[in-house]
Amino acid sequence: MDNRQAIGSWISGPRAAAEDMGVEFGYRGQRLGLPEEGPGSLARPGRRFAALFIDWALCMLIAYGLLSGGKAQQSASNWALVVFAVLSVLTVGTVGFTPGKRLLGLRVVAEGGGRISLPRVVLRTLLLVVVIPAVVWDRDGRGLHDRLARAVQVRI
């Protein structure tokens, strides 16, 4: 190995270094038994962030227009968090997706397939509202909130 390559290897991260040594990780979602592409495959982070943005914008609109009385921005933000939690529990718990996820062709399912149970939806939502578990990802790109709730976001 060239010294320049060894010095710069930290930029690529441990996964790239392991792959350079011949370790085969497979595609994202392979360990979960999901297809690599198409319907049922693991949702990509960009699409998940876009769906979250759409849901948050919708919740901010509802909170600002209906619940905070059009007054303080801080009050609207607090109400938006409550609206987001209620929206997430009700929609993911019943149909498997929020409005933003539906617009972008995503669905939340249990790891083995099928619907996610209501207690797991509540756990997932509480962890998502806390934010920190949502930014800690595993090698499949699932957030800690999905991992602890044994859920997967897949493409429809």
Side-chain angles (χ1 to χ4, degrees):
M1 177 183 286
D2 187 350
N3 280 343
R4 289 174 293 174
Q5 190 177 13
I7 292 171
S9 66
W10 66 272
I11 294 172
S12 301
R15 180 180 178 126
E19 286 173 345
D20 288 343
M21 291 188 302
V23 176
E24 179 61 41
F25 288 106
Y27 62 86
R28 292 181 189 265
Q30 184 175 11
R31 293 182 312 149
L32 301 168
L34 301 174
E36 187 171 3
E37 293 293 326
S41 65
L42 197 65
R44 301 283 182 222
R47 196 178 271 193
R48 290 175 17 212
F49 282 130
L52 181 65
F53 179 78
I54 291 168
D55 291 334
W56 185 253
L58 177 67
C59 292
M60 280 297 289
L61 260 165
I62 292 169
Y64 188 75
L66 299 176
L67 300 173
S68 72
K71 295 179 183 170
Q73 178 69 22
Q74 181 64 35
S75 175
S77 295
N78 292 338
W79 277 111
L81 197 58
V82 172
V83 170
F84 180 80
V86 170
L87 174 83
S88 184
V89 168
L90 290 178
T91 58
V92 173
T94 56
V95 292
F97 46 76
T98 61
K101 286 183 186 357
R102 180 65 183 128
L103 284 173
L104 295 176
L106 304 177
R107 173 169 283 190
V108 179
V109 297
E111 278 181 351
R115 286 186 34 187
I116 182 170
S117 66
L118 189 59
R120 290 182 8 200
V121 169
V122 170
L123 172 67
R124 181 184 181 278
T125 301
L126 290 175
L127 291 171
L128 186 58
V129 167
V130 173
V131 175
I132 299 300
V135 296
V136 178
W137 293 5
D138 65 4
R139 74 179 191 193
D140 287 319
R142 291 189 312 156
L144 188 59
H145 65 295
D146 279 335
R147 232 183 128 148
L148 293 175
R150 296 190 326 265
V152 181
Q153 293 186 51
V154 296
R155 293 171 48 190
I156 297 175

